[in-house]
Amino acid sequence: MYTINPKLNTLYCLRCGAEFPISDYYTGCPLCFKENYPANLSFHYRGRRNFRQGQKRMLRYTDFLPYESFPTLGEGGTPVVELKTLAQKYHLNAVYTKNEFQNPTGSHKDRMSPFSVARAVSLHKKCVVAASSGNAGASLAAYAAAASIPCKIISTKNINPVWKRAIELTGAQLILTETAGDRWILMKQMVEEENWYPVTNFINPPVGSNPFGIQGYKTIAYEIHDDFMGKIPSFIVVPTARGDLIWGIFEGFKDLYEMNLIQHIPKIVAVEPFPRISRVLKGEDYRNIFPGNSSSTTSIGGNTVTYQVVKAINNSKGSAISICQNDVLENQKDLAQIGLYLESSSATVSGALAKLIENKTIPPESDVLLIATSNGYKDSPVCTK
């Protein structure tokens, strides 16, 4: 039903570089997994690739994606908006947002779901499954419905009722567990025993989400290139959990750089709810557990770090910065008062920008782009207390 890209060549490990035939490796690189250094995989493509003239949204970039056709609800093509108020406030040349909340289900996850679902359908899998308490579950449920494949979303009993309703109305089955960790245990069992197709991570330490899906995030970088006609902002600020989004954006810019379409890869900054990635960047083992509070920013929560996020930051000469949970409501207010009502996790880019200016990570007169991942209508009132 969906056509795989004939230019797919091999999968390769982000950590050790080993190459593997095109297939599905649910725990990432088999070699690194055996060594207890979990790392995700990505794709090598063959031959000359080009953006497709006359095509819109993500169909413009199918030469660079794992499937040439996929279920679509009109995702991609999200606008870049200039925020002159913030530029003036922080003495920057320009500040922009990439409004990913204008995707069909209201988040960036709509760039990942089409390719994960296309892969599952092409393999004749029984269903797709994600361990999610938010945007990923809502998005996958919608795209699975569009492709007429059953969907299972494993979440916790305290799931936000806004997301619960969005998932259940699609016809997806919502399975609730006691703890977040229980989700991964159940998902692993169902993938191994019942032939469910996994879209999100289910091992600990984690590797990240399905490689076919993550490729969709590269289109954010391609669109930024098109919007700015190659003159990319120096800094890209990204709300970050396990780094699927940040890796995809980096890899998209890497493609552009290797094609000589841009002169530099922008510095990518991960925004986190407490020091986690930043600790790994200072030398701690990425496989550790990092305790911390993310109660007001559950979409970027979790106490683990992936290899892919560390590599994306290091290779782009970027950084990570944490936002205090007590400041999240103020971050939302700051953006809402200039017209952007973002989900609490997404609104952390406002606080991040202020801290990055204060600690001089971003120098005056820079151009900065903030990734606005999800809209504020998904928050329940308790999320902002």
Side-chain angles (χ1 to χ4, degrees):
M1 180 178 181
Y2 301 113
T3 306
I4 197 166
N5 187 346
K7 294 181 179 180
L8 280 184
N9 190 19
T10 58
L11 281 153
Y12 73 95
C13 174
L14 307 188
R15 178 176 173 267
C16 73
E19 296 194 20
F20 304 93
I22 299 299
S23 187
D24 294 86
Y25 305 86
Y26 299 148
T27 56
C29 172
L31 302 180
C32 290
F33 184 74
K34 286 181 181 179
E35 297 178 2
N36 195 32
Y37 281 90
N40 216 341
L41 300 171
S42 189
F43 295 87
H44 285 312
Y45 295 76
R46 65 170 68 91
R48 183 177 178 84
R49 295 177 290 158
N50 296 288
F51 296 156
R52 296 193 174 185
Q53 301 299 319
Q55 295 286 353
K56 295 182 179 180
R57 298 187 176 89
M58 287 170 47
L59 290 172
R60 172 167 162 76
Y61 311 113
T62 50
D63 258 13
F64 300 80
L65 298 170
Y67 276 81
E68 292 185 321
S69 62
F70 46 86
T72 179
L73 296 172
E75 62 289 328
T78 58
V80 167
V81 177
E82 186 172 3
L83 304 179
K84 294 183 179 179
T85 302
L86 289 186
Q88 293 169 359
K89 179 178 179 179
Y90 295 117
H91 307 289
L92 295 169
N93 182 55
V95 177
Y96 306 91
T97 58
K98 175 73 167 163
N99 289 351
E100 287 298 287
F101 60 83
Q102 291 184 238
N103 280 303
T105 74
S107 86
H108 63 290
K109 300 290 186 179
D110 292 343
R111 295 182 188 264
M112 179 173 76
S113 295
F115 301 100
S116 301
V117 170
R119 182 63 178 170
V121 170
S122 67
L123 295 175
H124 306 288
K125 291 293 184 177
K126 180 185 294 187
C127 69
V128 289
V129 59
S132 171
S133 295
N135 289 313
S139 177
L140 181 62
Y143 281 84
S148 300
I149 183 173
C151 178
K152 317 281 188 182
I153 303 299
I154 306 175
S155 189
T156 56
K157 291 183 177 180
N158 63 347
I159 183 174
N160 180 331
V162 175
W163 276 313
K164 182 176 185 292
R165 178 174 171 80
I167 292 167
E168 290 182 328
L169 282 178
T170 67
Q173 181 184 2
L174 185 60
I175 304 168
L176 302 180
T177 63
E178 291 292 337
T179 69
D182 291 340
R183 298 179 307 171
W184 289 1
I185 295 171
L186 177 59
M187 184 171 166
K188 181 177 184 293
Q189 179 185 352
M190 293 297 101
V191 167
E192 293 176 350
E193 297 178 6
E194 298 295 332
N195 202 31
W196 295 6
Y197 188 75
V199 175
T200 58
N201 180 83
F202 62 78
I203 65 170
N204 196 14
V207 295
S209 294
N210 185 287
F212 287 89
I214 292 174
Q215 289 287 286
Y217 290 140
K218 297 193 302 183
T219 60
I220 294 176
Y222 304 152
E223 289 178 12
I224 291 170
H225 165 266
D226 288 349
D227 287 333
F228 287 93
M229 295 183 289
K231 297 178 181 179
I232 308 297
S234 298
F235 294 88
I236 310 291
V237 183
V238 188
T240 302
R242 295 186 186 90
D244 298 328
L245 176 60
I246 209 169
W247 173 258
I249 291 173
F250 165 74
E251 196 168 33
F253 282 124
K254 180 172 173 284
D255 287 344
L256 294 166
Y257 182 77
E258 291 174 347
M259 294 167 65
N260 295 316
L261 293 176
I262 58 175
Q263 300 303 308
H264 71 278
I265 293 176
K267 295 177 180 178
I268 303 178
V269 180
V271 186
E272 55 184 347
F274 55 86
R276 181 180 58 186
I277 302 166
S278 53
R279 288 171 60 179
V280 175
L281 294 173
K282 291 177 180 178
E284 294 191 38
D285 193 326
Y286 77 93
R287 299 170 299 168
N288 289 346
I289 298 297
F290 302 90
N293 177 22
S294 56
S295 58
S296 295
T297 53
T298 56
S299 290
I300 55 171
N303 57 10
T304 57
V305 174
T306 59
Y307 185 84
Q308 63 185 6
V309 70
V310 178
K311 183 164 185 175
I313 292 171
N314 283 334
N315 285 16
S316 70
K317 300 180 181 179
S319 59
I321 193 155
S322 60
I323 299 301
C324 177
Q325 296 295 285
N326 294 334
D327 296 334
V328 172
L329 179 56
E330 200 62 35
N331 295 163
Q332 279 190 303
K333 286 181 178 178
D334 288 343
L335 290 173
Q337 289 174 2
I338 59 171
L340 283 176
Y341 180 37
L342 301 184
E343 182 191 342
S344 56
S345 296
S346 183
T348 56
V349 294
S350 173
L353 180 60
K355 291 183 72 173
L356 292 164
I357 297 296
E358 182 181 357
N359 66 21
K360 299 183 180 179
T361 298
I362 295 180
E365 306 305 318
S366 297
D367 290 350
V368 182
L369 188 145
L370 314 174
I371 304 295
T373 51
S374 180
N375 68 60
Y377 299 101
K378 296 183 177 184
D379 278 340
S380 61
V382 71
C383 292
T384 57
K385 290 183 180 178

